[in-house]
Amino acid sequence: MDLRIFTEPQQGATYDTLLAVAKATEDLGFDAFFRSDHYLSMGSADGLPGPTDAWITLAGLARETKRIRLGTLMTAGTFRLPGVLAIQVAQVDQMSGGRVELGLGAGWFEEEHKAYGIPFPKEKFARLEEQLAIVTGLWATEVGKTFSHHGTYYDLTDSPALPKPAQAKVPVLIGGHGATRTPRLAAQYADEFNIPFASIEDSERQFGRVRAAAEQAGRKAAGITYSNALVACVGKDDAEVARRAAAIGRDVDDLKANGLAGSPDEVVEKIGQYAAIGSQRIYLQILDLDDLDHLDLIAAQVQSQLA
């Protein structure tokens, strides 16, 4: 079971804070550092000092880390034109020496679009499908040849399809709870399917849908990595769990029911239940980015048991 660190910087974080978390992620032996792609805080968080851009952040981290994978859960398709996104991701992949992964979603948070003047189209999922075709098509085009796409939403003519990523194949992550279109899209494009903040039962059901869609598309279901994103709140005792829950404004019982919370042994047991239904990777949503001792504890007493 791979453990990855997943952050939500829109809730309030500077680049320096994210750098500290990414370096701790690398030093402590976690597999990857991922971040959300949002421009507006949610809930009661003030979001100070303001948002950071996902791909600018990852470009910086690409030069300041050496081993960990870097990526997004999920880049909002509404934020970037697909041709521009293909260039950005390829460049960051080059800057990292081939450690980038692209999680791409349709975009959903209408308020942040209004706040920053970003169009919020009605037909987001159909656009996402074209975006995936364009981004992957540009990367797959041989050097010296051109790429064209004439779709409903995007029109590319004789693109040189440059630059290329450092990796021969940048892993593409697709995720969500949708019962029909999401599994179909994952079967066509995903190297990894991620379901965020879902119960064991819902995860098993959705993984099954993706496997069935893959087989129907003539693809081996085992060729896709299946993963979960879950909030983490781990403490060496009940008091520490309660303190960490309070710091992120969450209830301990709710966290235990819907996330990975409690003692290291409790969390290891819960992860084992996800592993039993086919989850191969867990993205630990870390909401208090100043609490690096939290990562130390998870590395020493959770990750060590899983290894």
Side-chain angles (χ1 to χ4, degrees), residues 165-223:
Q167 299 175 87
K169 174 73 171 70
V170 172
V172 172
L173 289 74
I174 294 173
H177 297 259
T180 305
R181 293 191 299 176
T182 297
R184 176 182 59 78
L185 208 58
Q188 185 172 1
Y189 291 106
D191 298 286
E192 178 176 337
F193 179 79
N194 177 269
I195 184 164
F197 315 116
S199 68
I200 293 164
E201 295 76 17
D202 288 345
S203 299
E204 184 175 28
R205 187 178 304 113
Q206 188 70 333
F207 290 163
R209 291 175 181 140
V210 174
R211 291 188 184 98
E215 297 290 351
Q216 187 174 0
R219 181 180 179 187
K220 290 183 178 179

Side-chain angles (χ1 to χ4, degrees), residues 83 134 138 141 145-151 154-162:
I134 291 166
L138 286 166
T141 300
K145 296 186 178 180
T146 61
F147 174 84
S148 297
H149 173 93
H150 306 295
Y154 303 100
D155 201 304
L156 288 75
T157 301
D158 295 335
S159 171
L162 297 172

Side-chain angles (χ1 to χ4, degrees), residues 8-13 36 38 40-49 287:
E8 301 272 8
Q10 76 278 356
Q11 299 301 89
S36 60
H38 287 293
L40 198 65
S41 62
M42 303 170 196
S44 60
D46 59 26
L48 293 174
L287 295 176

Side-chain angles (χ1 to χ4, degrees), residues 226-238:
Y226 300 86
S227 65
N228 288 85
L230 296 161
V231 61
C233 183
V234 188
K236 63 180 182 294
D237 52 35
D238 290 345

Side-chain angles (χ1 to χ4, degrees), residues 229-301:
L230 296 161
V231 61
C233 183
V234 188
K236 63 180 182 294
D237 52 35
D238 290 345
E240 191 166 84
V241 174
R243 175 176 63 79
R244 289 199 163 111
I248 61 174
R250 299 287 291 272
D251 176 75
V252 172
D253 290 339
D254 175 66
L255 287 169
K256 286 189 175 185
N258 299 303
L260 296 173
S263 69
D265 287 345
E266 287 179 290
V267 169
V268 169
E269 181 181 1
K270 187 77 171 284
I271 290 174
Q273 294 175 36
Y274 278 95
I277 57 95
S279 185
Q280 299 159 280
R281 180 173 290 156
I282 301 288
Y283 292 80
L284 302 171
Q285 185 195 44
I286 303 297
L287 295 176
D288 184 353
L289 300 182
D290 294 317
D291 185 6
L292 297 183
D293 288 342
H294 193 195
L295 298 187
D296 285 333
L297 178 66
I298 295 170
Q301 298 192 34

